[in-house]
Amino acid sequence: MNNVKRICGGLSAAAKKDSILTASFILAVLTMIMVPPSAGYKDYIDFRVLALLFCLMTVISGFQRCGVFAYLAGRLLASASSLRHLAWLLVMLPFFFSMIITNDVSLITFVPFTILILNLIGQQKYLAWITVLQTIGANLGSMTTPIGNPQNLFLYGKFQISAASFFTTLLPFTLVSFLLLSLMVLKIPNLPLTITLDSTEKQTCAHGPLLLFAILFLMCLGSVFRLLPWEILLAAVIVSLLLFDRPALAGADYHLLLTFVCFFVFAGNLGQLEVLQNLFPWLMEKNTVLFSALISQIISNVPATVLLSQFTANWTGLLIGGNLGGLGTPIASLASLISLKYFMKEEPEKTSRYLAVFFLLNILFFVLLYVLSLIL
């Protein structure tokens, strides 16, 4: 009995720690009841995406432990000449870094950094506005590259999208997003400011580890753009880290990888259901961008993209819709929950104000970018 209680307690604790993984596991199990497990299940799993995610996460984790991003951010912020300039830099850091280190990692890196800076200069009253803009910036900046977020990486591989087609499709949205974010920063007063961040101007790694992570990151890019087989990349990353930096292996988000496996099973099984085989293709044909964005509001844009990819060949609409679908509810993009948690921890009594600002700006950005999608 005691063993059973311990097991149940462990499962309960795990569920509370990662509700998304728990939910995805439950959904996968439910669909397995409708579509019994078979040898065909292995075709559901995109092993290339899982391998690339693992390699990118471990390499980015290595850069983080070396203090690379904090160092670069500190050097950049030291040049801020006014409060508005500082706010613009704080918003643009996750916007541009998310193109390389993903939206969730950029928010994990820069939202706490923002809280620290605003507390340091006594401007906490702008935390909600800046943090929401950072969140939107991370979600929209990450759509620019195949490695910016998981759904991009998945679609890039599944539909064998060329680099030229990918960037051509999303670049207009990136440019407009940059302009909109810059306009929203104008709400911050243009007060004179001098800021010194000596603590951020030191790296914690020797040149050897930095060089290793730089080489591995270039190999990751080579594999993403199909210049290097993912099997070779995976072997190179695992062997290199086992030999030279084992702690970096712990930097991978294994919960996310397991969540993806559950999403693959969930989406694959739903794709076998006749009722959805008729309904979803019809809806996707009517308006791929809007429907994929709306589904993202309920189950978030990553699982929505994996699911809907079973029912359409219109990768352009799905790519745009999945990325714009990150705007809206806090669960539309899982990265948005990161910012919300940080803010609630810092100023719990102002959570309602944060959510009001969040919904206002997210709806505004979504409407404007969706209109852009209609024009293009």
Side-chain angles (χ1 to χ4, degrees):
M1 181 63 69
N2 288 334
N3 288 335
V4 173
K5 288 182 178 180
R6 280 197 295 269
I7 292 173
C8 291
L11 291 174
S12 176
K16 291 178 180 178
K17 185 176 181 180
D18 196 330
S19 58
I20 302 300
L21 172 58
T22 303
S24 66
F25 176 75
I26 293 173
L27 290 173
V29 171
L30 290 176
T31 60
M32 290 170 69
I33 297 174
M34 296 181 284
V35 182
S38 65
Y41 267 45
K42 69 178 185 299
D43 296 328
Y44 295 164
I45 312 298
D46 192 327
F47 293 101
R48 178 179 181 272
V49 167
L50 294 177
L52 289 176
L53 281 174
F54 168 80
C55 293
L56 284 166
M57 286 188 291
T58 54
V59 172
I60 294 302
S61 172
F63 280 129
Q64 274 188 303
R65 288 192 303 106
C66 286
V68 171
F69 307 128
Y71 169 78
L72 293 175
R75 294 297 296 269
L76 188 62
L77 293 178
S79 66
S81 57
S82 69
L83 181 59
R84 182 181 295 167
H85 186 199
L86 173 68
W88 185 82
L89 290 172
L90 288 172
V91 171
M92 291 305 162
L93 279 170
F95 178 74
F96 284 105
F97 270 92
S98 67
M99 300 177 188
I100 303 173
I101 65 175
T102 74
N103 50 357
D104 53 349
V105 173
S106 66
L107 290 174
I108 290 172
T109 302
F110 296 117
V111 171
F113 197 70
T114 297
I115 294 172
L116 172 66
I117 297 299
L118 293 183
N119 284 334
L120 180 67
I121 62 176
Q123 298 292 344
Q124 301 93 326
K125 59 184 177 181
Y126 299 110
L127 180 61
W129 189 264
I130 293 175
T131 304
V132 170
L133 288 178
Q134 285 183 309
T135 305
I136 294 174
N139 286 329
L140 293 177
S142 64
M143 72 176 170
T144 309
T145 65
I147 63 173
N149 52 49
Q151 74 266 19
N152 279 7
L153 190 60
F154 169 73
L155 292 175
Y156 190 81
K158 179 178 177 62
F159 291 101
Q160 295 291 296
I161 306 170
S162 69
S165 297
F166 184 94
F167 290 116
T168 301
T169 299
L170 293 177
L171 186 58
F173 295 92
T174 303
L175 295 175
V176 172
S177 297
F178 173 81
L179 293 174
L180 290 174
L181 288 167
S182 298
L183 286 173
M184 293 301 105
V185 171
L186 293 178
K187 181 182 185 298
I188 307 298
N190 198 31
L191 302 175
L193 180 70
T194 300
I195 185 167
T196 303
L197 297 170
D198 294 334
S199 62
T200 64
E201 296 185 3
K202 295 180 180 179
Q203 297 181 25
T204 58
C205 268
H207 293 301
L210 280 176
L211 179 60
L212 171 65
F213 291 126
I215 292 173
L216 292 177
F217 182 71
L218 291 175
M219 292 178 67
C220 287
L221 291 180
S223 188
V224 168
F225 292 109
R226 306 185 192 95
L227 301 175
L228 179 71
W230 66 265
E231 296 91 345
I232 294 178
L233 170 68
L234 181 62
V237 168
I238 292 176
V239 171
S240 297
L241 296 183
L242 283 175
L243 291 175
F244 302 110
D245 197 332
R246 293 189 179 185
L249 291 170
D253 187 344
Y254 294 100
H255 284 191
L256 177 62
L257 295 174
L258 288 174
T259 300
F260 248 82
V261 172
C262 293
F263 283 155
F264 285 138
V265 173
F266 169 66
N269 283 337
L270 287 184
Q272 303 301 314
L273 301 180
E274 185 175 351
V275 61
L276 296 184
Q277 288 176 348
N278 296 325
L279 176 61
F280 276 14
W282 179 78
L283 291 172
M284 294 294 281
E285 184 178 355
K286 291 294 183 181
N287 195 323
T288 306
V289 173
L290 184 59
F291 182 63
S292 55
L294 291 176
I295 291 294
S296 297
Q297 304 308 306
I298 304 171
I299 61 175
S300 90
N301 54 359
V302 175
T305 300
V306 175
L307 170 61
L308 296 177
S309 67
Q310 310 290 316
F311 304 103
T312 183
N314 181 10
W315 65 263
T316 303
L318 188 55
L319 183 64
I320 295 171
N323 281 292
L324 297 190
L327 301 169
T329 65
I331 64 171
S333 170
L334 301 183
S336 299
L337 294 175
I338 295 171
S339 301
L340 177 59
K341 289 179 180 178
Y342 278 125
F343 186 88
M344 290 176 65
K345 183 178 179 181
E346 180 68 17
E347 297 188 351
E349 72 283 357
K350 297 182 180 179
T351 300
S352 59
R353 180 176 182 273
Y354 177 91
L355 290 174
V357 173
F358 181 90
F359 282 111
L360 171 66
L361 291 178
N362 270 265
I363 292 172
L364 174 63
F365 273 73
F366 176 79
V367 170
L368 293 176
L369 291 174
Y370 178 67
V371 170
L372 177 63
S373 74
L374 297 177
I375 296 173
L376 296 176

